[in-house]
Amino acid sequence: MKLSLPSWMSSRGNGPGPDPAPDRLEALDAQLEELERIASLSAAEARHELLERVEKEARRQAAHTVRKIQDEAREEGERRARGILATAVQRLAGPFAMEATTHLVRLPNDEMKGRIIGREGRNIHTLEQLTGVDIVIDDTPSAVRLSSFDCMRREVARLTLERLIADGRIHPARCEEAFGQASAEIEDRIVEEGERAALEARVDALHPQLIDLLGRLQFRTSYGQNVLAHLTECSRLAALIALELGADAEIARRAALLHDIGKAADQEVEGTHAQVGARLARRWDEGEAVVHAIEAHHDEVEPRTVEAVVVQAADALSGARPGARGDTLEGYVARLRDLEALASRHAGVEKVYAMQAGREMRVIVDPGAVDDDEATLISHEIATAIEREVSYPGRIKVTVIRESRSTSYAH
């Protein structure tokens, strides 16, 4: 069988002939020149534009990937967070717990320590059983330390011990008598504190049980802030805001005073303090508008009234103001300044607002320079930079806002 070759191969094999390679190169050059003329772009410019498009597409894909990873991490984080927090509290909470859960009682002399202990420790054992507080007698001169997570128990133990020290007679029977007197004094003080808070907040006709619960919050703190003082402050703020907005100031005032009432009983009843507070308020004849504002103040239910939103705002203002929760003014201002400067250095960012005492960042970007996917990427980059460069307690929420605008002109 005879195989036939292409003409250009057969001609090259038979002898010298015209080489088509230069012709082909000239044709390619001519085609390239024609393409550049039609596209109004040089080859280098076309290459640069192609690289830019590839880079933008890669960034868009990266933003999609980041969003997917964030969703997966959020789901996984909810599961792992409890274990991580439990381990962190177990390892690191010691110094803070010592400051927040102990009270030092001064003694007239070191001999009083032996009298508090009693023969074979009977006095100190009786006091610990009665009060539910650990009485720590260490090397601190002329002082003993009362240790308990319950502020009210610590206060009863303090009054009991001070009565015994003032009386001088310390034995089990006298310990029981002093404990009974201190407990009765605390119950009277609880009612007085509740009535005082209601009077300061200008809220009347509260059920006696709610007065009692309010008074108990005098012995509880949240992030170093006294809860009852926080409630009276919130009540005044809510009334002012409601008046400015034309809302019902009385409902806002009342709901703000009671919004954390569940903290007085949240260790005894199942549920969050907002849920517990709403149930207690409903049980003790508060109106549905007040109950709704209580249960919605942490967004556990969607706020449906202006007064509920006002209570949320008052709660945030009272907790976030400088000095409210154990933070110095200098540290507060420096943290806000560092956060805003860090977020402002990203391309496309127009304005940055640090809110909630630095616990939330609102970043406004240029909608013409940043698309939705890039906004997601910017929020991730800012959050990563904050974790790497800024020291802060708790968690900081970064929200990137891209406004959509439509502009038309009438001629």
Side-chain angles (χ1 to χ4, degrees):
M1 179 184 229
K2 186 176 180 181
L3 298 174
S4 61
L5 297 175
S7 58
W8 63 273
M9 291 183 65
S10 59
S11 62
R12 176 174 295 182
N14 292 334
D19 188 358
D23 296 338
R24 186 177 295 107
L25 292 177
E26 290 177 1
L28 290 174
D29 290 340
Q31 292 176 0
L32 184 59
E33 292 176 359
E34 183 65 15
L35 287 173
E36 291 178 352
R37 185 187 66 79
I38 295 173
S40 299
L41 288 173
S42 66
E45 291 172 340
R47 186 181 301 108
H48 181 68
E49 183 176 345
L50 178 62
L51 289 176
E52 283 188 347
R53 291 182 179 179
V54 171
E55 182 180 357
K56 287 183 179 179
E57 181 62 26
R59 289 180 62 85
R60 186 173 291 106
Q61 292 179 359
H64 281 300
T65 303
V66 167
R67 185 180 298 177
K68 181 179 179 182
I69 292 174
Q70 286 177 339
D71 292 340
E72 294 176 352
R74 189 177 296 110
E75 295 176 1
E76 179 68 12
E78 290 293 335
R79 185 182 64 83
R80 299 183 58 188
R82 293 181 179 87
I84 294 172
L85 287 174
T87 302
V89 168
Q90 182 182 15
R91 294 177 58 188
L92 305 177
F96 174 78
M98 178 62 68
E99 296 176 2
T101 62
T102 63
H103 184 84
L104 202 66
V105 177
R106 295 293 177 181
L107 305 178
N109 51 60
D110 283 339
E111 180 188 355
M112 186 62 68
K113 289 185 178 180
R115 299 176 64 181
I116 291 173
I117 295 172
R119 183 180 300 175
E120 299 178 355
R122 62 179 185 175
N123 290 343
I124 193 171
H125 291 325
T126 300
L127 285 171
E128 289 181 338
Q129 290 176 358
L130 288 171
T131 62
V133 171
D134 292 330
I135 302 176
V136 181
I137 299 179
D138 52 18
D139 296 333
T140 306
S142 301
V144 296
R145 189 178 299 276
L146 307 178
S147 176
S148 173
F149 287 98
D150 192 317
C151 298
M152 190 174 299
R153 287 183 179 181
R154 285 205 313 273
E155 185 67 12
V156 172
R158 182 187 68 81
L159 292 174
T160 301
L161 197 56
E162 288 179 353
R163 285 177 179 275
L164 291 172
I165 294 170
D167 183 61
R169 297 174 298 162
I170 304 179
H171 51 79
R174 178 60 186 147
C175 289
E176 293 179 2
E177 182 182 349
F179 172 74
Q181 293 172 349
S183 299
E185 182 178 341
I186 285 294
E187 291 299 327
D188 292 339
R189 185 178 169 188
I190 285 172
V191 176
E192 291 175 1
E193 292 291 345
E195 291 176 345
R196 178 189 60 79
L199 183 63
E200 287 184 7
R202 296 169 58 188
V203 173
D204 54 9
L206 283 175
H207 193 281
Q209 289 291 340
L210 293 178
I211 292 287
D212 182 81
L213 291 173
L214 277 176
R216 293 179 184 277
L217 293 176
Q218 174 66 23
F219 304 99
R220 177 159 179 168
T221 60
S222 177
Y223 298 99
Q225 185 181 28
N226 182 274
V227 176
L228 188 58
H230 166 66
L231 293 182
T232 55
E233 183 179 45
C234 283
S235 183
R236 292 192 292 268
L237 289 171
L240 292 173
I241 296 171
L243 287 172
E244 292 293 330
L245 296 177
D248 193 322
E250 294 305 316
I251 290 178
R253 188 196 307 273
R254 197 177 191 91
L257 179 66
L258 299 175
H259 79 272
D260 276 344
I261 196 73
K263 288 185 177 181
D266 60 355
Q267 296 178 350
E268 305 169 4
V269 184
E270 184 178 355
T272 65
H273 75 269
Q275 296 170 343
V276 173
R279 291 201 297 267
L280 291 173
R282 186 177 287 112
R283 179 188 302 172
W284 305 120
D285 304 326
E286 290 297 320
E288 193 58 35
V290 173
V291 172
H292 171 66
I294 293 172
E295 65 184 352
H297 79 274
H298 279 319
D299 281 323
E300 293 175 9
V301 299
E302 187 72 21
R304 300 187 302 271
T305 64
V306 177
E307 290 78 15
V309 178
V310 167
V311 171
Q312 287 182 332
D315 183 30
L317 284 171
S318 176
R321 64 174 174 80
R325 297 193 170 180
D327 198 5
T328 63
L329 178 61
E330 292 81 5
Y332 171 82
V333 174
R335 181 168 70 249
L336 297 189
R337 187 184 298 116
D338 291 343
L339 289 172
E340 290 182 350
L342 185 149
S344 298
R345 70 191 187 196
H346 287 73
V349 173
E350 289 187 338
K351 296 179 182 179
V352 179
Y353 299 99
M355 308 172 68
Q356 298 284 342
R359 290 177 292 182
E360 182 176 356
M361 299 285 294
R362 297 284 178 89
V363 182
I364 300 176
V365 297
D366 182 2
V370 178
D371 60 19
D372 290 338
D373 290 332
E374 288 176 330
T376 301
L377 195 59
I378 287 175
S379 67
H380 176 72
E381 291 174 351
I382 292 175
T384 302
I386 291 173
E387 292 175 355
R388 185 174 59 250
E389 302 177 25
V390 180
S391 298
Y392 58 93
R395 183 178 64 175
I396 297 178
K397 178 182 178 181
V398 180
T399 303
V400 175
I401 301 172
R402 178 179 179 270
E403 182 183 10
S404 297
R405 299 182 183 179
S406 177
T407 304
S408 300
Y409 296 94
H411 299 286

